[in-house]
Amino acid sequence: MDVVRLLMVDDHLMLAEALSARLAEVPDLWVVGHCPTGDPRLPDLVRQSRPDVITLDLEPAGAGRLVRRLQEVRPAAEVVVLTGIRDVRKAVEAARDGAAAWVPKERGIERLTEVLRGVRRGQSWYPPDLLGPVLRELREDVVRAGQRNGPLDALSDRERDVLAGMVAGKRGAQIAGELLISTETVRTHTRSILAKLRVHSQLEAVSVARAAGLRGEPDGEP
């Protein structure tokens, strides 16, 4: 059984402790720690605890760009926004910065548990009332990126290989096996691809790649 290592970043200590206690009852979730958003020790805690998933509250002032900063410290971790605010603009910014999911705090523990497991498998989740606006903004980002000259020119040969695998619909583990690299390296290349293409999700990267003429080989073909 794969255990998801979870770090909770939230200024509401009582909520964080209560959630930690509830999640500790789930066999495949392990809360490795919790920390306030403004704690200067947060980067060190992320490095030391090596979480697979980080939940982040965006309510505190100044927490808006923490999604990107946390992923810079721990590229292998997925960030899930766990918050009480319902702000379309902040949801779009979080998606652009790479947040895999946005979960309102009023959702039940069952939904949160499903999302935490899902993002570890490469899935994303945003509530229906935010998903439409977020997707519209991300689609516009794809169009703008596709209009640039030679959007794939900035990629290294290995990054193009990884992107071609994504275009073919392959998962990270399959891409890693075919390229004889680790899944962690695939994740690192993926982060670099998104940054260089100036997009914010693998779906956008695939759209840009197809618009630029990159084709992945379907499974089963040489």
Side-chain angles (χ1 to χ4, degrees):
M1 177 177 61
D2 292 333
V3 176
V4 179
R5 297 170 59 89
L6 174 65
L7 175 66
M8 306 186 70
V9 181
D10 197 308
D11 284 4
H12 298 94
L13 181 60
M14 185 178 298
L15 174 63
E17 291 180 342
L19 269 178
S20 296
R22 289 290 305 277
L23 293 173
E25 301 173 0
V26 182
D28 58 341
L29 295 180
W30 178 18
V31 180
V32 296
H34 49 76
C35 182
T37 57
D39 194 323
R41 299 169 298 176
L42 178 57
D44 290 335
L45 179 59
V46 171
R47 295 187 189 97
Q48 293 166 6
S49 60
R50 297 178 292 108
D52 300 311
V53 180
I54 302 171
T55 62
L56 171 64
D57 184 6
L58 289 184
E59 289 184 65
R65 291 303 177 186
L66 261 182
V67 174
R68 182 166 295 179
R69 292 202 295 271
L70 289 171
Q71 291 188 326
E72 289 172 352
V73 175
R74 174 73 173 163
E78 300 292 349
V79 176
V80 172
V81 175
L82 179 61
T83 185
I85 62 175
R86 304 185 72 82
D87 187 315
V88 172
R89 180 182 57 82
K90 288 190 175 182
V92 170
E93 289 178 356
R96 283 174 171 160
D97 285 346
W102 178 291
V103 182
K105 285 183 176 178
E106 63 266 24
R107 293 279 179 167
I109 192 72
E110 292 80 11
R111 168 62 68 184
L112 176 60
T113 301
E114 291 174 3
V115 171
L116 294 176
R117 290 172 178 148
V119 298
R120 188 68 182 97
R121 296 192 297 267
Q123 301 172 1
S124 296
W125 191 87
Y126 279 70
D129 60 320
L130 295 178
L131 183 59
V134 167
L135 288 179
R136 281 195 296 273
E137 290 293 333
L138 295 184
R139 279 198 297 268
E140 291 181 8
D141 289 348
V142 170
V143 172
R144 287 190 290 269
Q147 291 172 343
R148 296 194 302 271
N149 293 328
L152 306 185
D153 292 346
L155 302 183
S156 68
D157 290 342
R158 181 59 84 194
E159 288 167 349
R160 290 177 71 97
D161 291 340
V162 171
L163 183 56
M166 292 162 54
V167 170
K170 298 173 182 176
R171 291 184 173 273
Q174 184 178 358
I175 295 172
E178 293 179 356
L179 298 180
L180 302 179
I181 57 179
S182 68
T183 54
E184 183 88 8
T185 300
V186 171
R187 285 176 176 268
T188 299
H189 284 316
T190 300
R191 305 279 190 201
S192 179
I193 290 167
L194 300 187
K196 289 181 178 180
L197 296 184
R198 298 181 184 178
V199 296
H200 313 286
S201 70
Q202 292 187 32
L203 179 61
E204 291 179 279
V206 168
S207 297
V208 171
R210 286 175 173 162
L214 182 65
R215 295 291 180 267
E217 293 180 351
D219 290 343
E221 292 189 11

